[in-house]
Amino acid sequence: MLGLLLAVSLGMGAQDMEEATTEKFRYYDEGPLTLDDFVKTYSTDNRGSYMEYGLMIEAEKLPVRNSTPIFQDIPRACMTPARSWMRYDQANSATLKYQQVAFDIVEKYARLMNREMNGGGGIASTRMFFNHYYTKMEREMKDFKEASAEGSD
């Protein structure tokens, strides 16, 4: 499968993109998050945990028609375990539940985007959908984090 992280359209530099593509992503469809998906730290950060998340667009090859391969863009929710962390004193089921709800929000927007993208439209359309849903996802994530005091409630 070919993968395209559309963070480029949001201003990510080439070096960041290269680093991001060498990271191992964990996808939503791999099952619920576990404590092992987060690096444990003694951080003095006020937050008890942090998850680097995003939407990835993968080009899935469909059955060949008339010897011409056809690809369909499939949005997927992902997180980066190597860049996600929990403080040792916060590495518990409540913090994990908070991060799972956040990951559920990312998956919600991957599914909404997938539903609208089914009609095709090429890369310009894909970027338009990505930007639209990424912005909506970030707004909802901000509201969620504020309402839950970053998982401390």
Side-chain angles (χ1 to χ4, degrees), residues 26 28 33 51 78 99-107:
R26 188 200 184 286
Y28 188 88
L33 294 173
M51 177 175 62
C78 62
Q99 292 297 354
Q100 183 63 54
V101 171
F103 205 27
D104 293 345
I105 292 170
V106 179
E107 174 65 8

Side-chain angles (χ1 to χ4, degrees), residues 4-65:
L4 171 65
L5 185 63
L6 285 181
V8 168
S9 66
L10 297 176
M12 180 181 273
Q15 183 178 4
D16 292 333
M17 181 65 174
E18 183 177 322
E19 288 175 13
T21 57
T22 60
E23 295 284 351
K24 180 181 178 340
F25 295 117
R26 188 200 184 286
Y27 298 98
Y28 188 88
D29 57 12
E30 293 176 29
L33 294 173
T34 69
L35 291 174
D36 292 334
D37 292 319
F38 297 85
V39 175
K40 306 312 175 288
T41 182
Y42 289 108
S43 173
T44 58
D45 192 301
N46 289 338
R47 299 171 294 176
S49 63
Y50 168 79
M51 177 175 62
E52 182 175 278
Y53 59 86
L55 295 171
M56 175 172 278
I57 305 293
E58 290 191 341
E60 182 178 280
K61 188 175 182 179
L62 300 176
V64 176
R65 293 185 195 153

Side-chain angles (χ1 to χ4, degrees), residues 55-119:
L55 295 171
M56 175 172 278
I57 305 293
E58 290 191 341
E60 182 178 280
K61 188 175 182 179
L62 300 176
V64 176
R65 293 185 195 153
N66 302 327
S67 68
T68 304
I70 298 172
F71 292 89
Q72 179 179 11
D73 291 333
I74 306 294
R76 294 183 73 193
C78 62
M79 59 90 69
T80 312
R83 295 186 185 194
S84 302
W85 54 265
M86 286 186 185
R87 289 194 335 229
Y88 279 103
D89 64 332
Q90 295 293 313
N92 55 47
S93 61
T95 304
L96 186 61
K97 185 182 280 188
Y98 165 77
Q99 292 297 354
Q100 183 63 54
V101 171
F103 205 27
D104 293 345
I105 292 170
V106 179
E107 174 65 8
K108 169 186 166 181
Y109 284 94
R111 290 179 186 201
L112 287 169
M113 189 165 49
N114 188 37
R115 192 173 349 159
E116 285 208 36
M117 286 173 52
N118 279 338

